[in-house]
Amino acid sequence: MSDTTTILGIESSCDDTAAAIVRVGGAVPEILSSVVDGQTELHDAYGGVVPEIAARAHAEKVDLCVRAALDAAGIGLGEVDAVAVTAGPGLIGGVMSGVMCAKGIAAGAGLPLIGVNHLAGHALTPRLTDAVDYPYLMLLVSGGHCQFLLVEGAEEFTRLGGTIDDAPGEAFDKVARLLALPQPGGPSVEAEAALGDAARFKLPRPLLDRPGCDMSFSGLKTAVLRARDGEMQEGRLSRRVRADICAGFQASVCDVLGEKTRRALEIYLEQSPARPVLAVAGGVAANGPIRARLMQVAEAAGAAFVAPPLRLCTDNAAMIAYAGAERFARGHRDGMDLAARPRWPLDKASPAMLGSGKKGAKA
């Protein structure tokens, strides 16, 4: 008998179809393959993800991604120990595509099936990439979600705070649309902000005047709209004004995330962890100024800062395979009645966050 476990992971919660093979049980987890088929071109004309188009693309591509992942890993299904799949939260059509494919593979190959919470995949990524010990503080900051999680085990999460409306990535995308910048909005706004003056427009820092770790970005987006409309000349916005608005918006997001992270770290450090760690995942973690601010906050608090490689911060199946491996090791198995879920909070004890982002409720 082998001491290692090989997991096939499948991810299809939003607009990336992905499959991966991860092997655990050795000195460190090993990603044997990771395949991601994005849909950016399919949604470009619509200024955002269209759920029906995304679901159809997942249905067409998920089995091809699985085959590509197996081929890249140089193994067959006979060498796989279990199939892990995102069962939520997410756009329900896409989640269903992945779950149905995983069920078919599990039934046909006689393999155990493991449903994985997409957010748990992100939250456990630092253990896959950096072997981080429990407990650690995770800031999940992406297009559909933003929350501080105290991660104490593979299925033990405590939410310290989160966004009550738009997630930061969602706000970046909407601001990019308001300013006629390309999607995805994060890289476009960051590039434009590098050319601007962040002090020109006095944009709000929502909820900084209130205690706690909850955040809000919807009002900031509205402030950007008003700033834009106030500077329009004959229906056009100058390049300089656009850059200054982007710089002001990005600075506001940095300030909010920095202060809220400082507060979350204070709560986390009350547990006196042996090796305190602030980890961050999600596409917004790729933003240079935001990452730099979070690193400064972590250093000031005496915590290590961990940010997985970008390819593992954004949606991928390696994180799903690893999260599935942790559940598999704890004896978890799902049946053929595994359901796709549009909403699935990690912290079941806390009340649901308000709002509904790209991947459902701010769980």
Side-chain angles (χ1 to χ4, degrees), residues 16 20 22 45 55 95 100 113 171 183-184 240 252 259 333 339:
D16 289 315
V22 171
V95 177
M100 294 304 293
L113 176 67
Q183 295 292 323
R240 167 56 61 186
S252 179
E259 173 58 20
R333 310 289 186 273

Side-chain angles (χ1 to χ4, degrees), residues 105-260:
I105 293 172
L111 295 172
L113 176 67
I114 307 164
V116 172
N117 187 310
H118 175 84
L119 303 180
H122 280 302
L124 296 176
T125 297
R127 288 180 53 76
L128 167 64
T129 60
D130 293 84
V132 172
D133 293 330
Y134 298 123
Y136 57 91
L137 178 65
M138 162 60 71
L139 169 57
L140 173 55
V141 55
S142 68
H145 298 280
C146 183
Q147 53 189 294
F148 294 104
L149 294 167
L150 182 57
V151 185
E152 298 177 277
E155 298 182 82
E156 299 169 21
F157 306 95
T158 301
R159 192 183 71 229
L160 302 182
T163 180
I164 62 175
D165 43 54
D166 290 356
E170 202 166 359
F172 269 96
D173 287 345
K174 290 178 178 178
V175 165
R177 284 196 290 274
L178 289 174
L179 300 177
L181 292 171
Q183 295 292 323
S188 299
V189 172
E190 181 181 2
E192 202 72 11
L195 306 174
D197 176 8
R200 177 174 178 178
F201 293 95
K202 304 301 182 183
L203 299 178
R205 271 64 173 164
L207 299 190
L208 284 192
D209 59 341
R210 302 184 193 178
C213 301
D214 286 343
M215 294 163 282
S216 170
F217 296 99
S218 180
L220 175 58
K221 173 198 65 183
T222 303
V224 167
L225 173 62
R226 291 173 178 164
R228 182 204 70 175
D229 291 349
E231 296 289 336
M232 295 286 271
Q233 300 291 334
E234 298 181 354
R236 298 174 64 86
L237 200 66
S238 73
R239 178 70 184 275
R240 167 56 61 186
V241 169
R242 187 172 68 179
D244 291 344
I245 292 175
C246 285
F249 166 76
Q250 182 173 263
S252 179
V253 175
C254 280
D255 288 348
V256 170
L257 288 176
E259 173 58 20
K260 297 295 184 173

Side-chain angles (χ1 to χ4, degrees), residues 14 37 44 88 123 147 159 174 284:
C14 191
D37 193 321
D44 267 349
Q147 53 189 294
R159 192 183 71 229
K174 290 178 178 178
V284 178

